[in-house]
Amino acid sequence: MEKEKNILTCVDCGTQNCKFKVRSYPEFCPTTNLDEGDLEWALERYDEGNNHKIMTASAEVEYEGYGHLTRVEEIMEFARKTGAKKIGIANCIGLIKEARTFAKILRANDFEPYSVICKVGAVDKSSIGIAKECENIGAAMCNPILQARLLNKIKTDLNVVIGLCVGHDSLFYKYSDAYATTLVTKDRVTGHNPAAVLYTATSYYKKLTPKD
Ligand code: SF4
């Protein structure tokens, strides 16, 4: 069967004219092919709930901290700007030390951190139908929905993810009532720097694009 032609999207664009505006837009550009209704719909959403406050604070943190505030500092600045005091930490057990350090920093900066670790509830993986062999690396399952529920009950103002597994993080974001951001993205192989694979994709990680 003939391979379907790749559909061109923003990753195939060489101009990024949506930012620069003095170049040209490619034919497949979603900006020039935009259904006006979609743009209006998105713009209207910024007036819903606290979305406008979040957008304003994000833009200010980006602008004021550009290139000199670390992500830890940016999260605290974002929290200050949005009035968030109770900070939920949804952390992986493998990053408990990092979570403790973050909590210490938060306390030193007058925030109230509340951590719920991934293994909370002490439920075995096989008890919810996960394959028994998955227990070979530990029987207790991660419980991102319970992490979210407990932080929701505390009514945290902002939740921060530290190293939840791929997919567990997806469930946490889905069930978290508070806006959630990520401090650490887990990558057990690269010391939690998943971008390392992208930076070395033409050398050490060439194996991921064997046909190039
Ligand atoms: S929106 Fe258009 S101009 Fe912007 S990156 Fe995508 S294709 Fe390029």
Side-chain angles (χ1 to χ4, degrees):
M1 206 170 70
E2 208 183 316
K3 190 177 172 268
E4 245 183 71
K5 239 180 117 190
N6 282 336
I7 293 168
L8 300 178
T9 64
C10 290
V11 289
D12 306 296
C13 171
T15 72
Q16 284 89 48
N17 199 40
C18 47
K19 171 179 167 80
F20 298 104
K21 301 197 174 173
V22 290
R23 303 175 179 173
S24 58
Y25 292 102
E27 222 171 84
F28 56 82
C29 174
T31 295
T32 52
N33 290 292
L34 200 57
D35 177 341
E36 275 302 310
D38 288 335
L39 178 59
E40 274 167 34
W41 181 89
L43 293 177
E44 281 166 16
R45 299 287 82 67
Y46 293 112
D47 290 326
E48 276 183 4
N50 286 327
N51 291 350
H52 191 263
K53 184 165 78 171
I54 297 295
M55 277 301 280
T56 307
S58 308
E60 288 176 6
V61 170
E62 181 193 13
Y63 168 66
E64 293 162 12
Y66 206 90
H68 66 90
L69 286 189
T70 62
R71 194 165 179 101
V72 166
E73 294 168 306
E74 282 191 343
I75 288 173
M76 290 194 293
E77 197 50 31
F78 175 72
R80 285 184 198 105
K81 284 181 184 288
T82 55
K85 187 95 177 151
K86 292 163 90 166
I87 312 295
I89 302 175
N91 63 284
C92 168
I93 197 164
L95 285 99
I96 183 65
K97 283 188 194 157
E98 292 82 347
R100 278 189 189 126
T101 303
F102 183 53
K104 187 177 169 189
I105 293 170
L106 287 175
R107 286 184 181 124
N109 285 272
D110 298 324
F111 292 104
E112 292 171 31
Y114 297 84
S115 148
V116 181
I117 206 162
C118 59
K119 302 299 184 189
V120 65
V123 178
D124 283 353
K125 291 171 186 168
S126 53
S127 74
I128 67 155
I130 294 171
K132 187 80 182 161
E133 68 192 48
C134 294
E135 294 188 347
N136 290 343
I137 54 164
M141 73 172 202
C142 293
N143 202 333
I145 297 178
L146 183 57
Q147 285 178 288
R149 174 146 176 113
L150 296 182
L151 293 177
N152 293 347
K153 284 179 90 172
I154 294 165
K155 296 192 187 308
T156 49
D157 301 313
L158 172 71
N159 289 333
V160 180
V161 167
I162 296 187
L164 296 188
C165 304
V166 171
H168 297 148
D169 57 357
S170 311
L171 287 169
F172 179 79
Y173 298 132
K174 182 176 167 74
Y175 286 90
S176 166
D177 283 348
Y179 289 91
T181 189
T182 302
L183 175 56
V184 181
T185 303
K186 175 189 275 166
D187 188 330
R188 298 179 183 91
V189 176
T190 64
H192 312 304
N193 177 17
V197 173
L198 310 180
Y199 299 140
T200 57
T202 56
S203 54
Y204 306 113
Y205 277 89
K206 183 83 188 67
K207 63 182 180 185
L208 296 178
T209 51
K211 289 184 182 156
D212 277 5

